[in-house]
Amino acid sequence: MILFELFWMFLLIGFVSFGGGYAMIPVIEMEVINKGWMTTQQFTDVIAIAGMSPGPIATNSAIFVGYQINGITGAIAAGLGMVIPSLLLVIIIATFFYRISKNKHVESAFYGLRPIITGLIGYAAIKFAISNHLLDSFSWYSGSLLAIFALSLFSLIKLRLHPALVIVMSGVLGAAIYS
């Protein structure tokens, strides 16, 4: 039964969540926590591992959640549930997209989706900042986390470093500071 629940939950999330993996994180988090499968801290750890792993973060997250819940079979059920909607929707959209991409209403709908996608990603970022105590009262710990955040953001935006390199550098810096 748990395998079907994992598959069904991620299948539904895959069909109704748009805007990429980071936009799906709040939806996945809400479902996983509401079902009592994980705490916020456990889910934050899953997102950290999924974000560092190669591949789409939503699929990686689903696989990690499935594994935490029911081992390898849970990972497979959750991964299939997350991948099948994307596969089907991309095939359908690719079939018709070039025919309708210049339609005024379709262009307007895509334009209107941009703010909510940005909002979902921002919401996920703020939620993780809160759960990782970045926004708590100021201390050496929260200050050092904010410094790593600022350096990472600067490296990505101004220096245009590859995100994988920034992740590795942040991990090395974290190991040096918190070990």
Side-chain angles (χ1 to χ4, degrees):
M1 187 63 181
I2 191 72
L3 293 177
F4 179 75
E5 279 187 65
L6 280 166
F7 174 79
W8 187 249
M9 183 187 80
F10 283 107
L11 187 78
L12 292 177
I13 290 172
F15 271 121
V16 300
S17 298
F18 294 91
Y22 286 101
M24 291 179 163
I25 290 172
V27 179
I28 296 171
E29 180 187 22
M30 187 178 73
E31 291 293 326
V32 168
I33 290 172
N34 285 347
K35 290 181 183 298
W37 289 346
M38 292 183 156
T39 64
T40 300
Q41 185 58 51
Q42 290 171 319
F43 185 74
T44 300
D45 293 343
V46 164
I47 295 303
I49 295 168
M52 290 188 297
S53 304
I57 192 167
T59 304
N60 293 348
S61 300
I63 291 170
F64 280 114
V65 167
Y67 186 82
Q68 291 278 332
I69 303 304
N70 205 50
I72 295 291
T73 54
I76 292 169
L80 284 173
M82 184 58 81
V83 169
I84 287 173
S86 299
L87 177 67
L88 293 175
L89 291 173
V90 167
I91 290 171
I92 292 168
I93 289 170
T95 304
F96 297 104
F97 184 73
Y98 288 109
R99 293 184 202 161
I100 63 169
S101 66
K102 298 299 176 197
N103 178 292
K104 179 182 171 187
H105 298 295
V106 171
E107 285 182 333
S108 297
F110 281 118
Y111 190 76
L113 287 172
R114 291 178 188 167
I116 186 61
I117 302 305
T118 304
L120 285 169
I121 293 169
Y123 171 77
I126 291 169
K127 183 112 169 105
F128 287 124
I130 291 169
S131 66
N132 287 309
H133 310 289
L134 260 69
L135 304 178
D136 288 354
S137 63
F138 191 76
S139 65
W140 179 88
Y141 180 74
S142 62
S144 63
L145 291 174
L146 285 173
I148 292 174
F149 166 77
L151 285 171
S152 299
L153 197 59
F154 179 79
S155 299
L156 290 168
I157 294 173
K158 288 293 183 187
L159 302 178
R160 299 188 160 270
L161 294 181
H162 193 278
L165 179 61
V166 176
I167 290 171
V168 170
M169 289 172 28
S170 296
V172 169
L173 191 56
I177 294 173
Y178 306 113
S179 294

